[in-house]
Amino acid sequence: VSENSQPILMIDPGHGGTDPGASGHGLIEKNMVLDISLYQYNRFKELGVSVGLTRNNDTFIDGTSRANIVVSSKAKYCISNHINAASSSTAKGAEIIHSIHDDGLFAKVIANSLADAGQVLRPTATYCKSNAQGKDYYFMHRQTGNVKTCIVEYGFLTNKEDANRLQMNWIPYAEAVVQAFCQFVGHDYSEPLIKTDENVANKSGFEDVPNHHWAAASITKAVESNIFTGVSKERFYPDRNVTRAQLAVILDRAGLLK
Ligand SMILES: [Zn+2]
């Protein structure tokens, strides 16, 4: 799903489709990591970082195909987004797992940035793990070869405080990882052009635009000002493309045409 022929960075929203990943306190990992990943994808494009995604909708991708998408993109870096679950409800905080062949510096920069954004870190916030054969334990490290892949676990859906923090603050946490990548590779970083204002979000009540959607505030304003409405009363389809004809009408309604 890469728009650029050769992205420097691949963002991988974990799970998808028939594989929901972790769930707890009303949140489902596959949806939350897709929101986080789409937010980061748009932010990286805004910052001029060539970026791709392993999935941009709710589809299932098996592990080998997922790793192959990353490898064939020829990207140098991969951020694999996940949210944790544990049998103990007290386990909480973010952790970043890097390859056994990686010095772990990128993971440390991400961990520090998440802490600056207010997320709790696990006691061991960054680490690597090998299997019985002495290879990387996780397939995303084992099968992505020379790509510098970090698995970012933003917190635990099975912990009430973490789930609450994630629901309220997933945008600042997603942004923290964007900032960390820019810092690590030495790319110019600037704050988002559009800030999501939680207070005006989702008054229009679309089922597919949750309060925490990164564009919720702008979508609400577009609908309220009658410039750009939903496909139905219930659905806005935030990730569908706009046609050239629709764009002309939107520009006209926005008063930008003479
Ligand atoms: Zn996961």
Side-chain angles (χ1 to χ4, degrees), residues 14-15 21-22 29 81-83 153:
H15 313 278
E29 179 181 3
N81 287 319
H82 288 261
I83 300 176
E153 299 273 4

Side-chain angles (χ1 to χ4, degrees), residues 66-208:
R66 195 181 287 269
N68 283 344
I69 294 169
V70 173
V71 171
S72 59
S73 78
K74 297 200 164 65
K76 233 177 128 176
Y77 304 93
C78 174
I79 295 167
S80 186
N81 287 319
H82 288 261
I83 300 176
N84 248 326
S87 49
S88 158
S89 65
T90 56
K92 64 177 181 207
E95 64 184 5
I96 297 95
I97 308 141
H98 57 85
S99 164
I100 55 172
H101 305 294
D102 181 331
D103 61 11
L105 197 63
F106 182 29
K108 283 205 177 67
V109 173
I110 295 172
N112 290 340
S113 192
L114 280 168
D116 286 346
Q119 175 57 322
V120 174
L121 297 180
R122 298 226 74 199
T124 305
T126 66
Y127 64 92
C128 58
K129 191 173 171 183
S130 52
N131 64 17
Q133 290 79 43
K135 305 237 163 116
D136 265 305
Y137 179 84
Y138 292 102
F139 75 88
M140 278 305 282
H141 294 131
R142 211 167 51 237
Q143 296 184 39
T144 56
N146 292 327
V147 183
K148 198 184 259 296
T149 298
C150 274
I151 298 172
V152 181
E153 299 273 4
Y154 289 82
F156 284 79
L157 291 183
T158 41
N159 176 265
K160 203 178 168 195
E161 290 78 37
D162 249 12
N164 189 44
R165 267 193 297 270
L166 286 163
Q167 190 164 24
M168 300 302 291
N169 306 309
W170 70 266
I171 290 178
Y173 300 166
E175 182 67 28
V177 174
V178 171
Q179 190 169 6
F181 177 82
C182 291
Q183 188 190 326
F184 184 72
V185 302
H187 189 96
D188 279 345
Y189 172 80
S190 53
E191 303 255 306
L193 294 173
I194 302 165
K195 292 222 171 175
T196 302
D197 182 350
E198 295 277 335
N199 299 323
V200 295
N202 205 24
K203 278 184 207 154
S204 46
F206 292 115
E207 288 168 6
D208 53 359

